[in-house]
């Protein structure tokens, strides 16, 4: 019985496939999939979904393993086993805004895709902020007066710079994670072990 891995579509998908290739896996079926969302390889079944959905598929046992950004785990806290970090998808979660904008984070309005992480972060520091949840380009919020600052993922910082924004405070570093369904770890241990072990080789380098 082959294990099923849920992969986050987009940037993490490409980085994970390069990671698999470096481990000697045949990724041709995954790179030549076209618009298919389910693919079978010699070693596993793969399903492709958005990050938060990857966590949901793993939580409900549809997928045994998942490759997802750490931000998803922190924001949604799915009931999955966080196995190990992976050596890609590295970025930062940061507070950003206009250079001349407010710098003391008191009762401000913060726009973000991560309301739970943001609320917890400020609460732990004794700060109270109003959260505006956005799904799209949060960089617009301070430019159009919707928010004083934003909380967002920063990889290169180019998007912020091009929109006249700067990082004001780095909150945490995050990376891609390999997660597992709790029951699968018990019931499919012999099937999952080879995959998990191949991922662990890089753990010490992180």
């Amino acid at each position: 019985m082959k294990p099923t891995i849920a992969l986050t579509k987009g940037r993490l998908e490409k980085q994970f496939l390069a990671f698999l290739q470096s481990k000697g896996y045949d990724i041709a079926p995954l790179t030549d999939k076209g618009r298919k969302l389910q693919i079978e390889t010699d070693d596993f079944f793969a399903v492709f979904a958005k990050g938060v959905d990857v966590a949901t598929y793993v939580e409900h046992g549809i997928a045994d393993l998942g490759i997802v950004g750490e931000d998803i785990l922190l924001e949604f806290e799915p009931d999955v086993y966080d196995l190990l970090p992976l050596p890609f998808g590295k970025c930062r979660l940061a507070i950003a805004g206009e250079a001349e904008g407010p710098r003391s984070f008191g009762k401000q309005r913060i726009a973000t895709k991560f309301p739970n992480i943001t609320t917890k972060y400020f609460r732990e520091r004794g700060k109270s902020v109003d959260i505006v949840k956005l799904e799209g380009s949060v960089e617009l919020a301070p430019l159009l007066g919707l928010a004083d600052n934003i909380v967002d993922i920063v990889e290169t910082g180019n998007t912020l710079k091009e929109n006249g924004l700067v990082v004001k405070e780095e909150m945490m570093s995050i990376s891609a994670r390999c997660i597992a369904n709790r029951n699968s770890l018990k019931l499919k241990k012999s099937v999952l072990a080879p995959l998990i072990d191949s991922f662990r080789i890089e753990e010490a380098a992180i």
Side-chain angles (χ1 to χ4, degrees):
M1 183 188 341
K2 295 179 182 178
T4 298
I5 305 179
L7 308 178
T8 300
K9 294 190 293 185
R11 178 174 56 87
L12 282 189
E13 172 191 342
K14 294 177 181 178
Q15 293 176 345
F16 179 64
L17 294 187
F19 175 69
L20 280 180
Q21 189 173 39
S22 73
K23 298 294 184 180
Y25 289 98
D26 178 14
I27 65 169
L30 302 173
T31 55
D32 300 332
K33 64 181 174 63
R35 293 183 178 273
K36 292 180 181 178
L37 299 176
Q38 301 180 73
I39 298 292
E40 180 179 3
T41 74
D42 291 339
D43 302 286
F44 54 83
F45 291 97
V47 296
F48 298 84
K50 289 186 176 181
V52 65
D53 294 336
V54 165
T56 300
Y57 285 129
V58 173
E59 180 175 354
H60 289 274
I62 305 301
D64 303 304
L65 301 176
I67 306 301
V68 70
E70 190 174 2
D71 54 297
I72 297 296
L73 304 184
L74 294 171
E75 177 65 24
F76 297 99
E77 299 184 344
D79 184 17
V80 297
Y81 192 86
D82 185 3
L83 276 176
L84 65 149
L86 296 166
F88 55 85
K90 295 181 179 180
C91 47
R92 301 162 289 156
L93 200 62
I95 302 165
E98 294 179 288
E100 302 304 320
R103 282 187 174 272
S104 81
F105 307 118
K107 188 67 171 180
Q108 292 188 47
R109 186 175 293 171
I110 306 291
T112 184
K113 302 172 189 175
F114 308 103
N116 293 327
I117 295 175
T118 302
T119 299
K120 182 179 179 181
Y121 182 85
F122 282 104
R123 182 184 296 136
E124 288 176 346
R125 287 154 182 78
K127 305 291 186 180
S128 177
V129 294
D130 291 327
I131 302 295
V132 178
K133 183 155 188 321
L134 294 177
E135 296 293 343
S137 301
V138 295
E139 295 84 3
L140 274 174
L143 301 179
L144 300 180
L146 179 63
D148 299 302
N149 290 295
I150 65 173
V151 167
D152 201 15
I153 288 176
V154 178
E155 189 171 9
T156 64
N158 290 337
T159 302
L160 291 178
K161 185 177 180 180
E162 289 177 9
N163 287 282
L165 305 180
V166 297
V167 171
K168 296 185 175 180
E169 185 175 325
E170 291 190 7
M171 299 165 62
M172 64 189 74
S173 297
I174 57 179
S175 70
R177 310 288 301 195
C178 178
I179 60 176
N181 175 266
R182 296 185 184 279
N183 288 330
S184 293
L185 279 182
K186 299 174 183 177
L187 302 176
K188 299 182 181 179
K189 185 176 181 180
S190 62
V191 176
L192 295 176
L195 266 178
I196 296 171
D197 287 344
S198 71
F199 298 163
R200 288 189 189 281
I201 296 173
E202 296 290 338
E203 188 173 6
I206 296 177

